[in-house]
Amino acid sequence: MHHHAKAPPERFNFARHLLELNRTRHAKIAVRDDRTALSYGELDARVRSLAAGLLAQGLQPEQRVLLVMLDTVDLPVAFLGALYAGVIPVPVNTLLPADNLAYMLSHSGARMVIASDALLPTVQQAIAQCGSSVPLAVSGAQADSEGLTFAGLLDHAPLAEAADTHADQFAFWLYSSGSTGRPKGAVHSHANLYWTAELYGKPVLGLREDDVVFSAAKLFFAYGLGNALTFPLSVGATVILMAERPTPAAVFDRLLRHQPTVFYGVPTLYVGMLASDALPRREQLKLRICASAGEALPREVGEKFGAHVGCEILDGLGSTEMLHIFLSNRSGAVRYGSSGTPVPGYEVELRDEQGRPVPVGEVGDLYIKGPSAAHLYWTNREKSTATFQGEWLRSGDKYAVDADGYYTYAGRSDDMLKVSGQYVSPIEVESALIGHESVLECAVVGQPDAQGLTRTVAYVVLRDARAADSALEDELKTFVKSRLAPHKYPREIRFTAELPKTATGKIQRFRLRESNGQ
């Protein structure tokens, strides 16, 4: 199959590759966060110093280091420094509660944790829960100079030579949320990062050296990692990083202050920006292209936002397993309401239950073939063989394709929901709700809101129906928030006398979805 890009050499280290590409841009700003700007020269020195610091701590090639870090200049340094040293960085979701982090810490067998100071209480709790005395290096102003610090790791002579890695060698992991609530560790290679830049970042987004890029999606997401590290640094552009939550106000501030030319968001954020009185006018911005992923972008949202800011939003579909976007709209050929067409270098097929191709216009399971696919899920043979099927990867999404080759999202193959671009397992939310003394049984489904975005709705049968009131609804929402990551709580709770079930007593979630609250 013809790629539009040539394959990386067999001996290939992605961090070394990026640093070499930018040797001539010594003074240009590479990465800028809320406090610090690093030139390409400084980035180079820091990445190689951090690599030396990790090895000085006794980390061996292919051992894991867990990165629980906000989006500051320290995160790309940590990620690339680990790659340079041949150590495996595992960036994780900074919004997760301690028990999720504890699971990832023990599952990954990480020999060190690097964490942002603001996240310390959760991280320390997670380490304690594992009962392991894994070294913790703290990044940020609040780092205790007595302990191990990020600055301390940087205090080494830059490592002269990068680890001599194979292009297909395991380079980093990303955790994706599993349907049973257990996250899966998708293991990626050095070459996978290269391919996403060559097949999507350069030809589809058309990223250039003179771009200033800003991703509201954080670096710990596969989407954000490509957006704000792989792609811009592959062309010598400048990256804006933001540590705080991507609220519309925070995003507007960066758009106005740093004048990015490329912006990457998720549909819920575009909805929030459009609804805000503070949305900047077109002439206040320098945007030439926007991207959206995480869930399907509703047609009206794309049209309205595009018309307001005067540039297209390229909606696309990617996944943690494929590392970045493999179905995308193209500049000048955008069809809002669709995920676009296959990115050249990827092949996409829709198949029925028997594995046969489905006719145009009919819904099928989406399979993808392309060079950036993860190699496996760590220590999970069953899920690995179900997902990574030879050259093809089963996405778990359902899609339909029209006569022009544009793909439209038709839901998840299982009951998994996508809320604000993050997977939510209904089973996990139900398990949390059932823990409340008032709840007899419950079912959680996704229902479209006014904008066409998925919101979680919980149907709850109470032990005592008289208790049903808005105070209990609030109490149940808070109860779930205290047990799961905040984005997983049900946005609406509907009290009901009974749940629809099959003859064998299985809850029929599809009936609740169809009822849509009627």
Side-chain angles (χ1 to χ4, degrees), residues 205-230:
L205 284 176
L207 279 200
R208 311 186 297 250
E209 185 177 9
D210 61 356
D211 276 318
V212 175
V213 311
F214 173 46
S215 175
K218 302 299 183 186
L219 284 164
F220 64 74
F221 288 119
Y223 179 47
L225 182 68
N227 295 345
L229 192 155
T230 314

Side-chain angles (χ1 to χ4, degrees), residues 26 47-48 59 98 128 167 210 225 239 244 246 298 330 370 395 430 446 458 473 493 498-499 510 515:
H26 199 78
V47 164
R48 293 187 299 119
L59 266 87
D210 61 356
L225 182 68
V239 181
E244 67 184 288
R330 283 324 118 78
S395 76
E430 289 163 16
E473 181 172 359
I493 290 176
E498 54 179 348
L499 296 172
F510 67 92
S515 76

Side-chain angles (χ1 to χ4, degrees), residues 2-13:
H2 299 291
H3 295 305
H4 297 266
K6 66 179 206 300
E10 192 168 280
R11 305 307 301 177
F12 180 74
N13 179 297

Side-chain angles (χ1 to χ4, degrees), residues 112-125:
M112 177 188 252
V113 179
I114 303 178
S116 295
D117 51 7
L119 306 169
L120 272 183
T122 312
V123 173
Q124 283 162 335
Q125 199 184 328

Side-chain angles (χ1 to χ4, degrees), residues 146-465:
E146 298 300 299
L148 187 56
T149 63
F150 193 77
L153 290 176
L154 285 175
D155 200 13
H156 289 81
L159 192 63
E161 288 297 318
D164 176 26
T165 45
H166 189 288
D168 291 338
Q169 207 162 319
F170 296 169
F172 66 103
W173 302 6
L174 294 170
Y175 275 98
S176 86
S177 26
S179 48
T180 53
R182 279 285 183 230
K184 302 184 291 283
V187 178
H188 280 284
S189 66
H190 286 271
N192 289 0
L193 288 161
Y194 170 88
W195 282 119
T196 58
E198 296 304 311
L199 298 178
Y200 173 80
K202 294 177 186 178
V204 176
L205 284 176
L207 279 200
R208 311 186 297 250
E209 185 177 9
D210 61 356
D211 276 318
V212 175
V213 311
F214 173 46
S215 175
K218 302 299 183 186
L219 284 164
F220 64 74
F221 288 119
Y223 179 47
L225 182 68
N227 295 345
L229 192 155
T230 314
F231 307 159
L233 300 185
S234 291
V235 298
T238 295
V239 181
I240 306 302
L241 294 178
M242 174 174 84
E244 67 184 288
R245 256 180 4 101
T247 59
V251 168
F252 297 154
D253 176 56
R254 299 336 185 265
L255 291 177
L256 294 168
R257 198 167 6 141
H258 300 297
Q259 294 289 298
T261 53
V262 179
F263 173 71
Y264 314 83
V266 296
T268 41
L269 177 60
Y270 285 113
V271 169
M273 288 163 76
L274 269 175
S276 165
D277 296 336
L279 180 64
R281 296 187 312 281
R282 178 186 305 200
E283 57 277 12
Q284 293 177 282
L285 302 172
K286 275 221 180 75
L287 292 175
R288 65 173 190 83
I289 201 86
C290 293
S292 180
E295 61 188 317
L297 181 75
R299 173 180 281 128
E300 320 72 74
V301 177
E303 285 169 355
K304 277 192 193 144
F305 190 88
H308 181 92
V309 299
C311 79
E312 295 171 317
I313 302 182
L314 303 185
D315 185 20
L317 174 71
S319 68
T320 305
E321 290 77 10
M322 287 308 291
L323 191 53
H324 216 276
I325 289 173
F326 49 82
L327 264 184
S328 180
N329 280 278
R330 283 324 118 78
S331 280
V334 169
R335 288 203 190 170
Y336 288 118
S338 91
S339 300
T341 57
V343 169
Y346 294 91
E347 284 179 49
V348 166
E349 280 184 7
L350 298 182
R351 304 178 188 166
D352 65 16
E353 303 293 313
Q354 283 70 45
R356 296 177 303 238
V358 302
V360 166
E362 288 191 24
V363 172
D365 286 302
L366 181 74
Y367 285 76
I368 313 108
K369 176 177 164 183
S372 63
H375 291 234
L376 59 122
Y377 295 126
W378 191 255
T379 61
N380 195 335
R381 180 151 183 142
E382 189 190 348
K383 289 250 163 47
S384 295
T385 49
T387 299
F388 305 102
Q389 304 182 359
E391 291 187 289
W392 291 90
L393 184 145
R394 182 175 182 274
S395 76
D397 289 305
K398 288 200 182 289
Y399 263 82
V401 62
D402 68 15
D404 297 331
Y406 281 77
Y407 286 76
T408 304
Y409 181 63
R412 285 290 292 168
S413 305
D414 49 21
D415 271 320
M416 286 292 282
L417 312 173
K418 238 180 176 185
V419 179
S420 303
Q422 299 183 73
Y423 283 124
V424 176
S425 157
I427 311 296
E428 192 182 10
V429 184
E430 289 163 16
S431 309
L433 271 169
I434 283 290
H436 192 283
E437 56 190 340
S438 303
V439 177
L440 180 63
E441 58 180 0
C442 61
V444 170
V445 296
Q447 285 176 345
D449 64 13
Q451 275 83 30
L453 297 172
T454 303
R455 60 205 288 270
T456 5
V457 179
Y459 288 85
V460 172
V461 179
L462 294 174
R463 294 185 186 282
D464 178 0

